[in-house]
Every structure is written in C-alpha cells, then in structure tokens.
Amino acid sequence: MPESLFSEVVPEPAEEVFTTLLEKPGLKIERIASHGHVSPAGFWYDQEQEEWVLLVQGEAVLQVDGQPDLRLKAGDHLRIPAHLRHRVASVSDDALWLAVHF
Amino acid sequence: MPESLFSEVVPEPAEEVFTTLLEKPGLKIERIASHGHVSPAGFWYDQEQEEWVLLVQGEAVLQVDGQPDLRLKAGDHLRIPAHLRHRVASVSDDALWLAVHF
C-alpha cells in the first residue's frame, strides 16, 4: 500500500523531522519536514555520501560553500556532491524535502 | 544550480514524457509526466530493477498484479519490487511522478 509524503508524524514538531522512507546498502531515501527550522548558526552539512535533493513543497534558501545563495521553490532539485559543505539559511514553515543519499 | 521538477520540456506532449534527472551505476532518478496517458491495454511493466515511486502531483490508479487497484493522490509513494508486474490504469492530466530505480 502507498504511504503519503504529506502525512505528518508529529503535529507541531519543535525541530526538523527526518523520516527514512527507504534504506538499502548505498541508498537512502529520506523525507525532511523543516517546519521553519534552519541549520544552526555556523553549522554546515559535510556528508560522506552524494545527495540529490528535491524541495517538494515550500521555499528555502540554501547556502553552498563558495557559491551565491540558492533560492529554491517547490519543484526545484539539485545534486550535492559528497563533502560539498551546505546549509539551510532560511526555510518556510511548510517546507518539505525529499533527499536521496547514494 | 537547481532545476525544477515542474518545468515542462514539451508544451503539449502526445505521450508520457520520461526525463532522467540523475543516473549512476545502480541508480536512476526519473521524472515522469503522464499527461493523462495510461499504460496501453494489456501492457504491464515488468522491471529488472526495484523501483520507489512518488506521485508528486495529480491522481492516478495503479494496478499491481494480484492486488486491488491502488488509488494514489499527490504525495503517495510506494516501493515496487523487481518483476512485480504493474500498470497505470488511469491518471490525471497533471500527474507528475518521481521514480527512483535501484
């Protein structure tokens, strides 16, 4: 049976909610509900694995090391190479991401 | 730079449009715009690889071999094991899928 990406696990979460939708060796598909929470000041993601990320709903500003800010709207997707430092500078309350780590 | 899942390559396509968003050995992320086109009568997908599929936008009815019809709405996602026969019985004009083959 299908599950819904839009169903909320927690009604009013105090932080971002990460839900693993599928996990296999070398592959993880993850749902991220931001609830307006940005990356902590000075925090950068620096990931071992490459990532493909889609903003399914909402808006966000992504900072990528050494690049101008990326303003994302629903439907925007991009590939983030392993160890490319990045952080979420701002994000709407309803922001919903799909991340594929591989 | 990000690309948008919602941008159309072809204005009024006569059939489904498949766009590969990312491809690596053992992994393909694909955008599928259905434009109301169902699987041909008697046609079943029978795939070598496992698939995870998300209906990003629209509505669809998926037939999976030996199971009751699955009515999908935007946000619904499911995993389809390799060689599990399936077909799209009906689909809205605006249906947009994200498929991860692995």
Side-chain angles (χ1 to χ4, degrees):
Chain A
M1 284 300 295
E3 299 181 67
S4 178
L5 201 74
F6 297 129
S7 62
E8 277 299 340
V9 179
V10 184
E12 288 184 32
E15 46 189 42
E16 284 192 293
V17 178
F18 294 79
T19 309
T20 298
L21 304 178
L22 187 147
E23 190 157 23
K24 295 200 62 159
L27 176 69
K28 184 165 78 166
I29 301 179
E30 191 175 48
R31 172 196 190 273
I32 306 165
S34 293
H35 301 288
H37 295 275
V38 302
S39 303
F43 173 87
W44 292 82
Y45 289 100
D46 183 344
Q47 299 172 155
E48 297 290 326
Q49 285 192 300
E50 196 164 358
E51 177 180 6
W52 179 89
V53 68
L54 163 68
L55 184 60
V56 177
Q57 178 180 282
E59 296 182 357
V61 176
L62 197 68
Q63 288 181 331
V64 178
D65 207 9
Q67 296 183 23
D69 287 1
L70 293 178
R71 297 185 176 276
L72 305 180
K73 57 186 187 309
D76 287 346
H77 55 89
L78 74 163
R79 188 169 175 166
I80 302 174
H83 295 297
L84 178 60
R85 282 156 39 99
H86 59 284
R87 63 190 300 280
V88 179
S90 79
V91 69
S92 61
D93 285 345
D94 64 343
L96 191 61
W97 307 82
L98 187 78
V100 181
H101 305 270
F102 53 95
Chain B
M1 284 298 296
E3 300 181 65
S4 178
L5 202 74
F6 296 129
S7 62
E8 277 300 339
V9 179
V10 184
E12 288 184 31
E15 46 189 41
E16 284 191 293
V17 178
F18 294 78
T19 309
T20 298
L21 304 178
L22 187 147
E23 190 157 21
K24 294 199 63 158
L27 176 68
K28 183 164 78 167
I29 301 179
E30 191 176 46
R31 172 197 191 273
I32 306 165
S34 292
H35 302 288
H37 295 275
V38 302
S39 302
F43 173 87
W44 292 81
Y45 289 100
D46 183 345
Q47 298 172 154
E48 297 290 326
Q49 285 192 301
E50 196 164 0
E51 177 180 6
W52 180 89
V53 68
L54 163 68
L55 184 61
V56 177
Q57 178 180 282
E59 296 182 357
V61 176
L62 197 67
Q63 288 181 330
V64 178
D65 207 10
Q67 296 183 23
D69 287 2
L70 293 179
R71 298 185 175 277
L72 305 180
K73 58 185 186 311
D76 287 346
H77 56 88
L78 74 163
R79 188 169 175 166
I80 301 174
H83 295 297
L84 178 60
R85 283 156 40 99
H86 60 284
R87 63 190 301 280
V88 179
S90 78
V91 70
S92 61
D93 285 345
D94 64 343
L96 191 61
W97 307 82
L98 186 79
V100 181
H101 305 271
F102 54 95

